[in-house]
Amino acid sequence: MGVVGGGLLGLDIAYELAQQGVKVSVYEADKRLGGLAGSTKIGGVAVDRYYHAVTTTDDKVVSLAESLGLSIRWRPLGVGFYHDGQRCSMSTPVEVLRFPGLRLDDKARLAAFVLACGRIKDAEALDEQPIEAWARKLSGNRLWERLWAPLLDSKFDGHYDDLPATYLWSRMRRTAGTRSKGGREVMGAIEGGYQALVDRLADRIRSLGGEVHTSTPVRHIPASASGAAIGVVTDAGLQAHDTVVTTQLRPNLKGLLADELEHALGPDPLRYMGIVCLVARVKQSVSPYYAINITDRRVPITSVVETTHAVDPEWVDGHLIYVPKYVRSTNPILERSSEDITDEFLGHVQTLFPDFRREDVIASQVARTTVAEPVHVASVANRIPPVFAAPGLAVASSARVHPNIVHGQAIAGVAEHVAGEVLARLTTDNTQQRSAA
Ligand SMILES: Cc1cc2nc3c(=O)[nH]c(=O)nc-3n(C[C@H](O)[C@H](O)[C@H](O)COP(=O)(O)OP(=O)(O)OC[C@H]3O[C@@H](n4cnc5c(N)ncnc54)[C@H](O)[C@@H]3O)c2cc1C
C-alpha cells in the first residue's frame, strides 16, 4: 500500500496499517517528515515551524507520544485578549468576569452559551445553520458584535459569513474541556515537538517492515483502463500498489491524479485558508499569555502565541513567539517578502506588548502556505465523501476531521477510520481472490 504524504496523517495511517501486518510505503516530498507539524531551524535551533501544543483532551496523541517513549510537559496557561486598545487576561472564569469589553449580562450569556455548546451532542443540524444567526440567537447581539465577529474576522481573514454554527460549537467544546481545577487552560508540549513524534513513528513503521521515503515527491497517480489506481509515479518511475492513500487537501491533489480518478472525486464543496506565520526566538518573555485573542481589528494578525509557556525555554535556548495571520489563499501578503512581513508583524507585537524590544530578537523566520486548513461552509452536499473514491484510491485529509476543528487528536481519529476502511477493503479483496481461485 502506498501513502502519499509524510505528515501526521500519512504516518498515523501507515503506522495503524503496519501494525496489522500491511506492507506500507510512505512517500514524502519534503526532505523532512512532519508537514505542517514539522520543525524548522532558526539561529541553529530546531523549533516548530508553526506553534503546536497538546491539550488534556488529546488522549490519542498523548498515548501515542507516550507509547513512542516521548514525555509531555504540562502547564496551566494564560490566555489574553486585546480589546479596544486594551490588553487583559481571560485565563480564569474570575478574569472573564472582570473583562472590561463586556457588560455583566453579556458575561452571563457567555457562560450560558459555553454550557449550551457542551450540551449539544449532535452536530449535523448545526451544519445547516449559518453561524451569525445561530450565535446571535444563543448568545445575543452584543456578544456577536464585540466578541465572535472580530474573532472570526481574525481567524478567517474577514470571510466567515458562509460558516456553519458547527465551527463555533466545536471550538467552544475543545477549549472548555481543557481546564484545570483553578479554571486555567492546561496545555502540554511534547519533548522535541511533533517532529520527534513523527520521526519516531517513521522509525516504528520501518521496524515493522514498512518504507518511509523522504525527498520523494509523488508526481502522478495513474489509473488502469478500468479506472482503478495502480500505484504512484515518483522520479524513480512507477511504484505499483494495490491501494494508494492520499493525505493532501484537494487543492494540493490538483494535477496529481489521473483524469478518471480526479473525475471520481467530484466537485470540492470546501474552501481553504492559508497562513503567514512569523516565528522569533527572543531573549526574554514577551507575553504573559500562551496566546492572545485580538478583537481590536486595528491589529490585523490572528494572535501572538508564546509557546515557551508550554515548551521548556531550555529546549529552544530562549523564548519563542509566533505571530500568525490566517489568510485567504488569494491574499497578496502571501507574496510579500519575509523582511517586510517580519517588520510589520513585530510592529504589531510592540502594539500589544509595549515592553517588547526588537533588539531582543535572536533569530526569526517567516513560514507561509496557501493551503493550511479546510473551511467547511454551511449546507453543502458531499461534505465528507466515502474514503474510497475509486477502486484502489483512498482519499484521506484533514478535511475529514469535521465536525471537529483541525488538530492532531482529530487527525488521529481520521487515521483510525481510514486505516479501518483500507483494512476492510484489503480483507474483502483477499477473500474474493481466494474464492475465485
Ligand atoms: C498554524 C497551525 C497551528 C497548529 N497548531 C496545532 C496545535 O497546537 N495542536 C494540534 O494538535 N494541531 C495543530 N495544528 C494542526 C496540525 O498541524 C495538523 O492537523 C496536521 O499537521 C495535519 O497533518 P496532515 O498530515 O493532514 O497534513 P500536512 O501536515 O499538510 O501533511 C501533508 C504532507 O504531504 C506532503 N506532500 C504534499 N504533496 C506531496 C506529493 N505530491 N508527494 C509526496 N508528499 C507530498 C507534504 O509535504 C506534507 O508533508 C496546527 C496547524 C497550523 C497550520
Side-chain angles (χ1 to χ4, degrees):
M1 196 207 53
V3 178
V4 187
L8 214 45
L9 181 56
L11 290 166
D12 264 1
I13 293 172
Y15 185 45
E16 293 271 341
L17 289 167
Q19 288 179 99
Q20 302 301 319
V22 178
K23 172 99 177 68
V24 294
S25 300
V26 178
Y27 302 92
E28 167 54 49
D30 204 54
K31 62 179 187 301
R32 299 207 68 171
L33 297 166
L36 293 170
S39 66
T40 182
K41 274 199 172 169
I42 55 168
V45 174
V47 304
D48 283 348
R49 187 178 299 117
Y50 300 103
Y51 48 98
H52 276 75
V54 287
T55 72
T56 49
T57 51
D58 293 350
D59 54 297
K60 290 180 200 292
V61 179
V62 170
S63 59
L64 178 64
E66 287 174 351
S67 76
L68 295 170
L70 294 165
S71 63
I72 296 180
R73 180 181 187 266
W74 294 103
R75 289 286 181 279
L77 300 174
V79 176
F81 264 74
Y82 187 73
H83 183 86
D84 267 350
Q86 257 186 301
R87 212 181 68 207
C88 53
S89 181
M90 282 248 281
S91 305
T92 64
V94 173
E95 286 176 347
V96 173
L97 284 178
R98 290 200 207 111
F99 183 61
L102 298 172
R103 297 190 319 220
L104 210 57
D105 55 332
D106 297 329
K107 290 166 189 168
R109 290 201 80 161
L110 178 59
F113 178 70
V114 175
L115 289 176
C117 287
R119 279 196 299 270
I120 299 172
K121 302 285 177 242
D122 174 16
E124 244 171 69
L126 296 182
D127 279 339
E128 303 302 315
Q129 301 192 40
I131 196 164
E132 179 172 348
W134 180 78
R136 280 186 187 272
K137 193 167 125 212
L138 225 65
S139 62
N141 290 332
R142 277 177 57 83
L143 271 183
W144 171 259
E145 278 144 25
R146 299 190 70 105
L147 196 64
W148 305 132
L151 287 178
L152 290 167
D153 185 74
S154 86
K155 175 70 206 255
F156 292 95
D157 199 10
H159 184 185
Y160 52 86
D161 49 335
D162 58 353
L163 294 183
T166 331
Y167 175 77
L168 205 47
W169 167 80
S170 190
R171 188 103 235 162
M172 287 297 105
R173 284 167 62 94
R174 180 156 168 85
T175 32
T178 61
R179 308 242 157 216
S180 71
K181 279 199 185 124
R184 279 181 177 259
E185 214 169 316
V186 175
M187 287 197 172
I190 301 172
E191 190 177 357
Y194 266 87
Q195 186 70 57
L197 183 109
V198 294
D199 287 344
R200 290 204 186 179
L201 262 181
D203 290 345
R204 283 283 172 92
I205 292 166
R206 290 182 182 116
S207 71
L208 289 164
E211 296 171 355
V212 180
H213 306 277
T214 50
S215 302
T216 310
V218 167
R219 306 285 183 198
H220 185 54
I221 301 176
S224 66
S226 63
I230 54 170
V232 300
V233 176
T234 66
D235 292 342
L238 174 69
Q239 320 295 319
H241 292 293
D242 50 15
T243 308
V244 175
V245 183
T246 60
T247 62
Q248 289 64 43
L249 288 163
R250 280 293 289 277
N252 292 338
L253 277 183
K254 274 214 172 77
L256 215 58
L257 297 170
D259 288 348
E260 43 279 63
L261 300 175
E262 178 79 45
H263 186 69
L265 282 184
D268 182 5
L270 310 184
R271 60 182 181 84
Y272 300 86
M273 295 302 298
I275 191 167
V276 175
C277 185
L278 169 76
V279 50
R281 250 175 75 220
V282 285
K283 288 183 194 151
Q284 47 199 330
S285 174
V286 171
S287 159
Y289 322 115
Y290 177 79
I292 186 161
N293 295 304
I294 301 166
T295 50
D296 184 334
R297 299 312 298 140
R298 288 171 296 182
V299 182
I301 49 175
T302 305
S303 183
V304 172
V305 184
E306 184 165 319
T307 56
T308 30
H309 287 298
V311 170
D312 188 337
E314 282 190 11
W315 297 349
V316 291
D317 194 16
H319 298 260
L320 281 183
I321 54 166
Y322 290 78
V323 188
K325 180 179 173 72
Y326 276 90
V327 292
R328 302 180 202 200
S329 46
T330 51
N331 191 319
I333 194 174
L334 283 157
E335 305 299 325
R336 270 169 59 191
S337 74
S338 294
E339 293 70 30
D340 197 17
I341 291 169
T342 304
D343 188 48
E344 182 194 321
F345 283 19
L346 290 181
H348 296 317
V349 174
Q350 262 170 331
T351 305
L352 300 177
F353 304 102
D355 291 342
F356 165 68
R357 296 176 318 163
R358 287 181 187 232
E359 312 84 86
D360 283 345
V361 174
I362 304 164
S364 69
Q365 201 175 87
V366 174
R368 64 187 90 193
T369 175
T370 48
V371 181
E373 273 190 27
V375 180
H376 281 267
V377 299
S379 310
V380 290
N382 204 26
R383 184 186 294 285
I384 310 277
V387 169
F388 275 89
L393 178 69
V395 178
S397 80
S398 56
R400 301 190 83 86
V401 301
H402 187 81
N404 285 306
I405 51 173
V406 183
H407 46 71
Q409 171 75 4
I411 289 287
V414 171
E416 272 174 24
H417 174 71
V418 171
E421 295 253 336
V422 170
L423 209 55
R425 189 64 74 106
L426 291 175
T427 313
T428 317
D429 290 352
N430 287 344
T431 314
Q432 279 168 355
Q433 273 163 18
R434 268 203 303 275
S435 7

